[in-house]
Coordinates of all heavy atoms in Angstrom, one line a residue:
M5 N 31.7 -171.5 -72.2 CA 31.5 -172.6 -71.3 C 32.4 -172.3 -70.1 O 31.9 -172.6 -69.0 CB 32.0 -173.9 -72.0 CG 31.7 -175.1 -71.2 SD 30.0 -175.4 -71.1 CE 29.9 -177.1 -71.1
F6 N 33.6 -171.9 -70.2 CA 34.4 -171.6 -69.1 C 33.8 -170.5 -68.2 O 33.8 -170.7 -67.0 CB 35.8 -171.1 -69.6 CG 36.8 -170.8 -68.5 CD1 37.3 -171.8 -67.7 CD2 37.1 -169.5 -68.2 CE1 38.2 -171.4 -66.6 CE2 37.9 -169.1 -67.1 CZ 38.5 -170.1 -66.4
Y7 N 33.2 -169.5 -68.8 CA 32.6 -168.4 -68.0 C 31.4 -169.0 -67.2 O 31.3 -168.6 -66.0 CB 32.1 -167.3 -68.9 CG 31.4 -166.3 -68.2 CD1 32.0 -165.3 -67.4 CD2 30.0 -166.2 -68.3 CE1 31.3 -164.4 -66.7 CE2 29.3 -165.2 -67.6 CZ 29.9 -164.3 -66.8 OH 29.2 -163.4 -66.1
V8 N 30.6 -169.8 -67.8 CA 29.5 -170.4 -67.1 C 29.9 -171.2 -65.9 O 29.4 -171.1 -64.8 CB 28.6 -171.2 -68.1 CG1 27.5 -171.9 -67.3 CG2 28.0 -170.3 -69.1
T9 N 30.9 -172.1 -66.1 CA 31.3 -173.0 -65.0 C 32.0 -172.2 -63.9 O 31.8 -172.4 -62.7 CB 32.3 -174.1 -65.5 OG1 33.4 -173.5 -66.1 CG2 31.6 -175.0 -66.4
S10 N 32.7 -171.1 -64.3 CA 33.4 -170.3 -63.3 C 32.3 -169.5 -62.5 O 32.4 -169.4 -61.2 CB 34.3 -169.3 -64.0 OG 34.8 -168.3 -63.1
H11 N 31.3 -169.0 -63.1 CA 30.2 -168.3 -62.5 C 29.4 -169.2 -61.5 O 29.1 -168.9 -60.4 CB 29.3 -167.7 -63.5 CG 28.2 -166.8 -62.9 ND1 28.5 -165.7 -62.2 CD2 26.9 -167.0 -62.9 CE1 27.4 -165.1 -61.8 NE2 26.4 -165.9 -62.2
L12 N 29.1 -170.4 -62.0 CA 28.4 -171.4 -61.2 C 29.3 -171.8 -59.9 O 28.7 -172.0 -58.9 CB 28.0 -172.6 -62.0 CG 26.9 -172.4 -63.0 CD1 26.7 -173.7 -63.8 CD2 25.6 -172.1 -62.3
S13 N 30.5 -171.9 -60.1 CA 31.4 -172.3 -59.0 C 31.4 -171.2 -57.9 O 31.3 -171.5 -56.7 CB 32.9 -172.5 -59.5 OG 32.9 -173.6 -60.3
E14 N 31.4 -169.9 -58.4 CA 31.4 -168.8 -57.4 C 30.0 -168.8 -56.7 O 30.0 -168.6 -55.5 CB 31.5 -167.5 -58.2 CG 33.0 -167.2 -58.5 CD 33.1 -165.8 -59.2 OE1 32.4 -164.9 -58.7 OE2 33.8 -165.7 -60.1
L15 N 28.9 -169.0 -57.4 CA 27.6 -169.1 -56.8 C 27.5 -170.2 -55.7 O 27.0 -170.0 -54.6 CB 26.5 -169.2 -57.8 CG 26.2 -168.0 -58.7 CD1 25.2 -168.3 -59.7 CD2 25.8 -166.8 -57.8
F16 N 28.1 -171.3 -56.1 CA 28.1 -172.5 -55.2 C 28.9 -172.2 -53.9 O 28.5 -172.5 -52.8 CB 28.6 -173.7 -55.9 CG 28.6 -174.9 -55.0 CD1 27.4 -175.5 -54.6 CD2 29.8 -175.4 -54.6 CE1 27.5 -176.6 -53.8 CE2 29.8 -176.5 -53.7 CZ 28.7 -177.1 -53.3
A17 N 30.1 -171.5 -54.1 CA 30.9 -171.2 -53.0 C 30.3 -170.2 -52.1 O 30.5 -170.3 -50.8 CB 32.3 -170.7 -53.5
R18 N 29.5 -169.4 -52.6 CA 28.8 -168.4 -51.7 C 27.7 -169.1 -50.8 O 27.4 -168.5 -49.7 CB 28.1 -167.3 -52.5 CG 29.1 -166.4 -53.2 CD 28.4 -165.3 -53.9 NE 29.3 -164.6 -54.8 CZ 28.9 -163.9 -55.8 NH1 27.6 -163.7 -56.1 NH2 29.8 -163.3 -56.6
T19 N 27.1 -170.2 -51.3 CA 26.1 -170.8 -50.5 C 26.7 -171.7 -49.4 O 26.0 -172.0 -48.4 CB 25.2 -171.7 -51.4 OG1 26.1 -172.8 -51.9 CG2 24.6 -171.0 -52.5
L20 N 27.9 -172.0 -49.4 CA 28.6 -172.8 -48.4 C 28.8 -171.9 -47.1 O 29.1 -170.7 -47.2 CB 29.9 -173.3 -48.8 CG 29.9 -174.3 -50.0 CD1 31.3 -174.7 -50.4 CD2 29.1 -175.6 -49.6
P21 N 28.7 -172.5 -45.9 CA 28.9 -171.7 -44.7 C 30.4 -171.3 -44.7 O 31.3 -172.0 -45.1 CB 28.6 -172.6 -43.6 CG 28.5 -174.0 -44.2 CD 28.3 -173.8 -45.6
S22 N 30.6 -170.1 -44.1 CA 32.0 -169.6 -44.1 C 32.9 -170.4 -43.2 O 34.1 -170.6 -43.4 CB 32.0 -168.1 -43.7 OG 31.4 -168.0 -42.4
R23 N 32.4 -170.8 -42.0 CA 33.1 -171.6 -41.0 C 32.3 -172.8 -40.6 O 31.1 -172.6 -40.4 CB 33.4 -170.8 -39.8 CG 34.4 -169.6 -40.0 CD 34.6 -169.0 -38.7 NE 35.2 -167.7 -38.9 CZ 35.1 -166.6 -38.1 NH1 34.4 -166.7 -37.0 NH2 35.7 -165.5 -38.4
P24 N 32.9 -173.9 -40.4 CA 32.2 -175.0 -39.9 C 31.7 -174.7 -38.4 O 32.5 -174.1 -37.7 CB 33.1 -176.2 -39.9 CG 34.5 -175.6 -40.1 CD 34.3 -174.2 -40.7
E25 N 30.5 -175.0 -38.1 CA 30.0 -174.8 -36.8 C 30.7 -175.7 -35.8 O 31.0 -176.9 -36.1 CB 28.5 -175.0 -36.7 CG 27.7 -174.0 -37.5 CD 26.2 -174.3 -37.4 OE1 25.8 -174.9 -36.4 OE2 25.5 -173.8 -38.3
K26 N 31.1 -175.1 -34.6 CA 31.8 -175.9 -33.6 C 30.8 -176.8 -33.0 O 29.7 -176.4 -32.5 CB 32.4 -175.0 -32.6 CG 33.3 -175.7 -31.7 CD 34.1 -174.7 -30.8 CE 35.1 -175.4 -30.0 NZ 35.9 -174.5 -29.2
V27 N 31.1 -178.1 -33.0 CA 30.2 -179.1 -32.4 C 30.4 -179.1 -30.9 O 31.5 -179.3 -30.4 CB 30.5 -180.5 -33.0 CG1 29.6 -181.5 -32.4 CG2 30.3 -180.5 -34.5
R28 N 29.3 -178.9 -30.2 CA 29.3 -179.0 -28.7 C 29.3 -180.4 -28.2 O 28.5 -181.2 -28.8 CB 28.2 -178.2 -28.1 CG 28.3 -176.7 -28.3 CD 27.2 -176.0 -27.6 NE 26.1 -175.9 -28.5 CZ 24.9 -175.7 -28.2 NH1 24.5 -175.6 -27.0 NH2 23.9 -175.7 -29.1
P29 N 30.0 -180.7 -27.2 CA 29.9 -182.1 -26.7 C 28.5 -182.3 -26.1 O 27.9 -181.4 -25.6 CB 31.0 -182.1 -25.6 CG 31.4 -180.7 -25.3 CD 31.0 -179.9 -26.5
P30 N 28.1 -183.5 -26.1 CA 26.7 -183.8 -25.5 C 26.7 -183.6 -24.0 O 27.7 -183.7 -23.4 CB 26.5 -185.2 -25.9 CG 27.8 -185.8 -26.1 CD 28.7 -184.7 -26.6
R31 N 25.5 -183.3 -23.5 CA 25.4 -183.2 -22.1 C 25.2 -184.6 -21.5 O 24.2 -185.2 -21.8 CB 24.2 -182.3 -21.8 CG 24.4 -180.9 -22.3 CD 23.3 -180.0 -21.9 NE 23.4 -179.8 -20.4 CZ 23.4 -178.6 -19.8 NH1 23.2 -177.6 -20.5 NH2 23.6 -178.5 -18.5
L32 N 26.1 -184.9 -20.6 CA 26.0 -186.2 -19.9 C 25.7 -186.0 -18.5 O 26.1 -185.0 -17.9 CB 27.3 -187.0 -20.0 CG 27.9 -187.3 -21.4 CD1 29.2 -188.0 -21.3 CD2 26.9 -188.1 -22.2
S33 N 24.9 -186.9 -17.9 CA 24.5 -186.8 -16.5 C 25.7 -187.1 -15.6 O 26.7 -187.7 -16.1 CB 23.4 -187.7 -16.2 OG 23.8 -189.1 -16.2
T34 N 25.6 -186.7 -14.4 CA 26.7 -187.0 -13.5 C 27.0 -188.5 -13.3 O 28.2 -188.9 -13.3 CB 26.4 -186.4 -12.1 OG1 26.0 -185.0 -12.2 CG2 27.5 -186.6 -11.1
R35 N 25.9 -189.3 -13.3 CA 26.1 -190.7 -13.2 C 26.7 -191.3 -14.5 O 27.6 -192.2 -14.4 CB 24.7 -191.4 -12.9 CG 24.8 -192.8 -12.7 CD 25.7 -193.2 -11.5 NE 24.9 -193.1 -10.3 CZ 25.3 -193.4 -9.1 NH1 26.6 -193.7 -8.9 NH2 24.5 -193.3 -8.0
E36 N 26.3 -190.8 -15.6 CA 26.9 -191.3 -16.9 C 28.4 -191.0 -16.9 O 29.2 -191.8 -17.4 CB 26.2 -190.6 -18.1 CG 24.8 -191.1 -18.3 CD 24.0 -190.3 -19.3 OE1 24.4 -189.2 -19.6 OE2 23.0 -190.9 -19.7
I37 N 28.8 -189.8 -16.4 CA 30.2 -189.4 -16.4 C 31.0 -190.4 -15.4 O 32.1 -190.8 -15.7 CB 30.4 -188.0 -16.0 CG1 29.9 -187.1 -17.1 CG2 31.9 -187.6 -15.7 CD1 29.8 -185.6 -16.8
E38 N 30.4 -190.6 -14.2 CA 31.0 -191.6 -13.3 C 31.2 -192.9 -13.9 O 32.3 -193.5 -13.8 CB 30.1 -191.7 -12.0 CG 30.1 -190.5 -11.1 CD 29.2 -190.7 -10.0 OE1 28.2 -191.4 -10.1 OE2 29.4 -190.1 -8.9
V39 N 30.2 -193.4 -14.6 CA 30.3 -194.8 -15.2 C 31.4 -194.7 -16.3 O 32.2 -195.7 -16.4 CB 28.9 -195.2 -15.8 CG1 29.1 -196.4 -16.7 CG2 28.0 -195.5 -14.6
L40 N 31.4 -193.7 -17.1 CA 32.4 -193.5 -18.2 C 33.8 -193.5 -17.6 O 34.7 -194.1 -18.2 CB 32.0 -192.3 -19.0 CG 32.5 -192.3 -20.4 CD1 32.1 -193.5 -21.2 CD2 32.1 -191.0 -21.1
K41 N 34.0 -192.8 -16.5 CA 35.3 -192.7 -15.9 C 35.8 -194.1 -15.5 O 37.0 -194.5 -15.6 CB 35.4 -191.7 -14.8 CG 35.4 -190.3 -15.2 CD 35.4 -189.4 -14.0 CE 35.4 -187.9 -14.4 NZ 35.4 -187.0 -13.2
L42 N 34.9 -194.8 -14.9 CA 35.2 -196.2 -14.4 C 35.5 -197.1 -15.6 O 36.4 -198.0 -15.6 CB 34.2 -196.8 -13.5 CG 34.1 -196.1 -12.1 CD1 32.8 -196.5 -11.4 CD2 35.3 -196.4 -11.3
C43 N 34.7 -196.9 -16.7 CA 35.0 -197.7 -17.9 C 36.4 -197.4 -18.5 O 37.1 -198.3 -18.9 CB 33.9 -197.4 -19.0 SG 32.3 -198.1 -18.6
A44 N 36.7 -196.1 -18.4 CA 38.0 -195.7 -18.9 C 39.2 -196.3 -18.1 O 40.3 -196.5 -18.6 CB 38.1 -194.1 -18.9
S45 N 38.9 -196.5 -16.8 CA 40.0 -197.1 -16.0 C 40.0 -198.6 -16.1 O 40.8 -199.2 -15.4 CB 39.8 -196.7 -14.5 OG 38.6 -197.2 -14.0
G46 N 39.2 -199.2 -16.9 CA 39.2 -200.6 -17.2 C 38.3 -201.5 -16.4 O 38.4 -202.7 -16.4
K47 N 37.4 -200.8 -15.6 CA 36.4 -201.6 -14.8 C 35.4 -202.3 -15.7 O 34.9 -201.7 -16.7 CB 35.8 -200.7 -13.8 CG 36.7 -200.0 -12.9 CD 37.4 -201.0 -11.9 CE 38.3 -200.2 -10.9 NZ 39.3 -201.0 -10.4
T48 N 35.0 -203.4 -15.3 CA 33.9 -204.1 -16.0 C 32.5 -203.5 -15.5 O 32.5 -202.8 -14.5 CB 33.9 -205.6 -15.8 OG1 33.7 -205.9 -14.4 CG2 35.2 -206.2 -16.2
A49 N 31.4 -203.9 -16.1 CA 30.1 -203.5 -15.7 C 29.8 -204.0 -14.3 O 29.3 -203.3 -13.4 CB 29.0 -203.9 -16.7
Y50 N 30.3 -205.2 -14.0 CA 30.1 -205.8 -12.7 C 30.8 -205.0 -11.6 O 30.3 -204.7 -10.6 CB 30.5 -207.3 -12.7 CG 30.5 -207.9 -11.3 CD1 29.2 -208.4 -10.8 CD2 31.6 -208.1 -10.5 CE1 29.2 -209.0 -9.6 CE2 31.5 -208.6 -9.3 CZ 30.3 -209.1 -8.8 OH 30.2 -209.7 -7.6
E51 N 32.1 -204.7 -11.9 CA 32.9 -204.0 -10.9 C 32.4 -202.6 -10.7 O 32.3 -202.1 -9.6 CB 34.4 -203.9 -11.4 CG 35.1 -205.3 -11.4 CD 36.4 -205.2 -12.2 OE1 36.6 -204.4 -13.1 OE2 37.2 -206.1 -11.8
T52 N 32.0 -201.9 -11.8 CA 31.4 -200.6 -11.7 C 30.1 -200.6 -10.9 O 29.9 -199.7 -10.1 CB 31.1 -200.0 -13.2 OG1 32.3 -200.0 -13.9 CG2 30.5 -198.7 -13.1
A53 N 29.3 -201.6 -11.1 CA 28.1 -201.7 -10.4 C 28.3 -201.9 -8.9 O 27.7 -201.2 -8.0 CB 27.3 -202.9 -10.9
R54 N 29.3 -202.6 -8.5 CA 29.7 -202.8 -7.1 C 30.2 -201.5 -6.5 O 29.9 -201.2 -5.4 CB 30.7 -203.9 -6.9 CG 30.2 -205.3 -7.3 CD 29.0 -205.7 -6.4 NE 28.2 -206.7 -7.1 CZ 26.9 -206.6 -7.5 NH1 26.3 -205.5 -7.3 NH2 26.3 -207.5 -8.1
I55 N 31.1 -200.8 -7.2 CA 31.6 -199.6 -6.8 C 30.6 -198.5 -6.5 O 30.6 -197.8 -5.5 CB 32.7 -199.1 -7.7 CG1 33.9 -200.0 -7.7 CG2 33.2 -197.6 -7.4 CD1 34.9 -199.8 -8.9
L56 N 29.6 -198.4 -7.5 CA 28.6 -197.3 -7.4 C 27.3 -197.8 -6.7 O 26.4 -197.0 -6.7 CB 28.3 -196.8 -8.8 CG 29.5 -196.2 -9.6 CD1 29.0 -195.8 -11.0 CD2 30.0 -195.0 -8.8
S57 N 27.3 -199.0 -6.2 CA 26.1 -199.6 -5.6 C 24.9 -199.5 -6.5 O 23.8 -199.1 -6.2 CB 25.8 -198.8 -4.3 OG 26.8 -198.9 -3.4
L58 N 25.1 -200.0 -7.7 CA 24.1 -200.1 -8.7 C 24.0 -201.6 -9.2 O 24.8 -202.4 -8.8 CB 24.4 -199.3 -9.9 CG 24.6 -197.8 -9.7 CD1 25.1 -197.1 -11.0 CD2 23.3 -197.1 -9.4
S59 N 22.9 -201.8 -10.0 CA 22.9 -203.2 -10.6 C 23.7 -203.1 -11.9 O 23.9 -202.0 -12.5 CB 21.4 -203.6 -10.9 OG 21.0 -202.8 -12.0
E60 N 24.1 -204.3 -12.3 CA 24.9 -204.3 -13.6 C 24.1 -203.9 -14.8 O 24.6 -203.2 -15.7 CB 25.4 -205.8 -13.8 CG 26.4 -206.0 -14.8 CD 27.0 -207.4 -14.8 OE1 26.8 -208.2 -13.9 OE2 27.6 -207.7 -15.8
R61 N 22.8 -204.1 -14.7 CA 21.9 -203.7 -15.8 C 21.8 -202.2 -15.9 O 21.8 -201.6 -16.9 CB 20.5 -204.3 -15.6 CG 19.5 -203.9 -16.6 CD 18.2 -204.6 -16.3 NE 17.2 -204.1 -17.2 CZ 16.4 -204.8 -18.0 NH1 16.6 -206.1 -18.0 NH2 15.5 -204.2 -18.7
T62 N 21.8 -201.5 -14.7 CA 21.8 -200.0 -14.7 C 23.1 -199.5 -15.3 O 23.0 -198.5 -16.0 CB 21.6 -199.5 -13.2 OG1 20.4 -200.1 -12.7 CG2 21.5 -198.0 -13.2
V63 N 24.2 -200.1 -14.9 CA 25.5 -199.6 -15.5 C 25.4 -199.7 -17.0 O 25.8 -198.8 -17.7 CB 26.6 -200.4 -14.9 CG1 27.9 -200.1 -15.6 CG2 26.8 -200.1 -13.4
N64 N 25.0 -200.9 -17.5 CA 24.9 -201.0 -19.0 C 23.9 -200.1 -19.6 O 24.1 -199.6 -20.7 CB 24.5 -202.5 -19.3 CG 25.6 -203.4 -19.0 OD1 26.8 -203.1 -19.1 ND2 25.3 -204.6 -18.6
Y65 N 22.8 -199.7 -18.9 CA 21.9 -198.7 -19.3 C 22.6 -197.3 -19.5 O 22.4 -196.7 -20.5 CB 20.7 -198.6 -18.4 CG 19.7 -197.5 -18.7 CD1 18.8 -197.6 -19.7 CD2 19.8 -196.3 -18.0 CE1 17.9 -196.6 -20.0 CE2 18.9 -195.3 -18.2 CZ 18.0 -195.4 -19.2 OH 17.1 -194.4 -19.5
H66 N 23.4 -197.0 -18.5 CA 24.1 -195.7 -18.6 C 25.1 -195.7 -19.7 O 25.3 -194.7 -20.5 CB 24.8 -195.4 -17.3 CG 23.9 -195.0 -16.2 ND1 22.9 -194.0 -16.3 CD2 23.7 -195.5 -14.9 CE1 22.2 -193.8 -15.2 NE2 22.7 -194.8 -14.3
V67 N 25.8 -196.8 -19.9 CA 26.8 -196.9 -21.0 C 26.1 -196.8 -22.3 O 26.5 -196.1 -23.2 CB 27.5 -198.3 -20.9 CG1 28.3 -198.5 -22.2 CG2 28.4 -198.3 -19.7
Q68 N 24.9 -197.4 -22.5 CA 24.2 -197.4 -23.7 C 23.7 -195.9 -24.0 O 23.8 -195.5 -25.1 CB 23.0 -198.3 -23.7 CG 22.3 -198.4 -25.0 CD 23.2 -198.9 -26.1 OE1 24.0 -199.9 -25.9 NE2 23.1 -198.4 -27.3
N69 N 23.3 -195.2 -23.0 CA 22.9 -193.8 -23.1 C 24.1 -193.0 -23.6 O 23.9 -192.1 -24.5 CB 22.4 -193.2 -21.8 CG 20.9 -193.7 -21.6 OD1 20.2 -194.1 -22.4 ND2 20.5 -193.5 -20.3
V70 N 25.2 -193.2 -23.0 CA 26.4 -192.5 -23.5 C 26.8 -192.8 -24.9 O 27.1 -191.8 -25.7 CB 27.6 -192.8 -22.5 CG1 28.9 -192.2 -23.1 CG2 27.4 -192.3 -21.1
I71 N 26.7 -194.0 -25.3 CA 27.0 -194.4 -26.7 C 26.0 -193.7 -27.6 O 26.5 -193.1 -28.7 CB 26.8 -195.9 -26.8 CG1 28.0 -196.6 -26.1 CG2 26.8 -196.3 -28.3 CD1 27.9 -198.1 -26.0
V72 N 24.8 -193.6 -27.3 CA 23.8 -192.9 -28.2 C 24.1 -191.4 -28.2 O 24.1 -190.8 -29.3 CB 22.4 -193.2 -27.7 CG1 21.4 -192.3 -28.4 CG2 22.0 -194.6 -27.9
K73 N 24.3 -190.8 -27.0 CA 24.6 -189.3 -26.9 C 25.9 -188.9 -27.7 O 25.9 -187.9 -28.3 CB 24.7 -188.9 -25.5 CG 23.3 -188.9 -24.8 CD 23.5 -188.4 -23.4 CE 22.2 -188.4 -22.6 NZ 22.3 -187.9 -21.2
M74 N 26.9 -189.8 -27.6 CA 28.2 -189.5 -28.2 C 28.2 -189.9 -29.7 O 29.2 -189.6 -30.4 CB 29.3 -190.2 -27.5 CG 29.5 -189.8 -26.0 SD 30.0 -188.2 -25.7 CE 31.7 -188.3 -26.2
N75 N 27.1 -190.6 -30.1 CA 27.0 -191.0 -31.5 C 28.2 -191.9 -31.9 O 28.9 -191.6 -33.0 CB 26.8 -189.8 -32.5 CG 26.4 -190.2 -33.8 OD1 25.7 -191.2 -34.0 ND2 26.7 -189.4 -34.8
V76 N 28.5 -192.9 -31.1 CA 29.6 -193.8 -31.4 C 29.0 -195.2 -31.4 O 27.8 -195.4 -31.1 CB 30.7 -193.7 -30.4 CG1 31.4 -192.4 -30.5 CG2 30.2 -193.9 -28.9
C77 N 29.8 -196.2 -31.7 CA 29.3 -197.6 -31.8 C 29.5 -198.5 -30.7 O 28.9 -199.6 -30.6 CB 29.8 -198.2 -33.1 SG 31.6 -198.3 -33.2
N78 N 30.5 -198.2 -29.7 CA 30.7 -199.1 -28.6 C 31.3 -198.3 -27.4 O 31.6 -197.1 -27.5 CB 31.6 -200.2 -29.0 CG 32.9 -199.8 -29.6 OD1 33.5 -198.8 -29.1 ND2 33.5 -200.5 -30.5
K79 N 31.5 -199.0 -26.3 CA 32.0 -198.4 -25.1 C 33.4 -197.8 -25.2 O 33.6 -196.7 -24.7 CB 31.9 -199.4 -24.0 CG 32.4 -198.9 -22.6 CD 32.1 -199.9 -21.5 CE 32.8 -201.2 -21.6 NZ 32.6 -202.0 -20.3
I80 N 34.2 -198.5 -25.9 CA 35.6 -198.0 -26.1 C 35.6 -196.7 -26.9 O 36.3 -195.7 -26.5 CB 36.5 -199.0 -26.8 CG1 36.5 -200.3 -26.0 CG2 37.9 -198.5 -27.0 CD1 37.1 -200.2 -24.6
S81 N 34.8 -196.6 -27.9 CA 34.7 -195.4 -28.7 C 34.1 -194.3 -27.9 O 34.5 -193.1 -28.1 CB 33.8 -195.6 -30.0 OG 34.4 -196.6 -30.8
A82 N 33.2 -194.6 -27.0 CA 32.6 -193.6 -26.2 C 33.6 -193.0 -25.2 O 33.6 -191.8 -25.0 CB 31.4 -194.2 -25.4
V83 N 34.4 -193.8 -24.6 CA 35.5 -193.4 -23.7 C 36.5 -192.5 -24.5 O 36.9 -191.4 -24.0 CB 36.2 -194.6 -23.1 CG1 37.5 -194.1 -22.4 CG2 35.3 -195.3 -22.2
I84 N 36.9 -192.9 -25.7 CA 37.8 -192.1 -26.5 C 37.2 -190.7 -26.9 O 37.8 -189.7 -26.8 CB 38.2 -192.9 -27.8 CG1 39.1 -194.1 -27.4 CG2 39.0 -192.0 -28.8 CD1 39.3 -195.1 -28.5
A85 N 35.9 -190.7 -27.3 CA 35.2 -189.5 -27.7 C 35.1 -188.6 -26.5 O 35.3 -187.4 -26.6 CB 33.9 -189.8 -28.3
A86 N 34.8 -189.1 -25.3 CA 34.6 -188.3 -24.1 C 36.0 -187.7 -23.7 O 36.0 -186.5 -23.3 CB 34.0 -189.1 -23.0
A87 N 37.0 -188.5 -23.9 CA 38.4 -187.9 -23.5 C 38.7 -186.8 -24.5 O 39.3 -185.8 -24.1 CB 39.4 -189.1 -23.6
K88 N 38.5 -187.0 -25.8 CA 38.8 -186.0 -26.8 C 38.0 -184.7 -26.5 O 38.5 -183.6 -26.8 CB 38.5 -186.5 -28.2 CG 39.6 -187.4 -28.7 CD 39.3 -187.8 -30.1 CE 40.4 -188.8 -30.6 NZ 40.1 -189.2 -32.0
A89 N 36.7 -184.9 -26.1 CA 35.9 -183.7 -25.8 C 36.1 -183.1 -24.5 O 35.6 -182.0 -24.2 CB 34.4 -184.2 -25.9
G90 N 37.0 -183.7 -23.7 CA 37.4 -183.1 -22.4 C 36.3 -183.4 -21.3 O 36.3 -182.7 -20.3
I91 N 35.5 -184.4 -21.5 CA 34.4 -184.7 -20.5 C 35.0 -185.5 -19.4 O 34.7 -185.3 -18.2 CB 33.3 -185.5 -21.2 CG1 32.6 -184.6 -22.2 CG2 32.3 -186.0 -20.2 CD1 31.6 -185.3 -23.1
I92 N 36.0 -186.4 -19.7 CA 36.6 -187.2 -18.6 C 38.1 -186.9 -18.7 O 38.7 -186.4 -19.6 CB 36.3 -188.7 -18.8 CG1 36.8 -189.2 -20.1 CG2 34.9 -189.0 -18.6 CD1 36.8 -190.7 -20.2

């Protein structure tokens, strides 16, 4: 029994990848990065819209795209993930 479990463990270990693949940061557009930087500095969607001459809805659209691309749940998490990835 010990031999069988040992052998199965070795076979299983061989099927695992030797190194975890390095996860590349998602590709964000220039506008998404601008919006994210302003979010990181504490600007609201309204303030960001006025600074970039956009509508508030467009700013929220860019924020939502970043959230999806970064695979996070909210704007704060997106800012943190982007900072960790070196995007901002």
